[in-house]
Amino acid sequence: MSCVFCEIVAGDAPASVVHEDERTMTFLDHRPITPGHLLVVPRVHGAYLAELDPEDGAQPLRVG
């Protein structure tokens, strides 16, 4: 199964990155509902927050 967010984090898909840290990546939404809408994603794949290490799951909330 392919995950577009994992492809962006790996550098295999284009994105306008505005912030990166060791646990997250923040980039402009490809099809924003409002101008400037950003997506903050963990660098580790997880379909649910509960699947992530607690720090990997918490960091997007701190950044956002």
Side-chain angles (χ1 to χ4, degrees):
M1 183 158 83
S2 178
C3 174
V4 68
F5 299 122
C6 290
E7 291 175 12
I8 291 170
V9 169
D12 296 333
S16 296
V17 178
V18 296
H19 174 78
E20 294 183 71
D21 62 36
E22 65 184 21
R23 295 183 185 270
T24 65
M25 181 179 275
T26 305
F27 48 90
L28 290 169
D29 191 339
H30 178 66
R31 287 184 256 169
I33 294 173
T34 60
H37 183 247
L38 300 172
L39 298 170
V40 182
V41 299
R43 289 186 175 273
V44 178
H45 179 85
Y48 303 99
L49 282 175
E51 294 177 358
L52 299 174
D53 172 272
E55 281 302 310
D56 288 330
Q59 187 63 12
L61 301 175
R62 290 182 192 121
V63 171

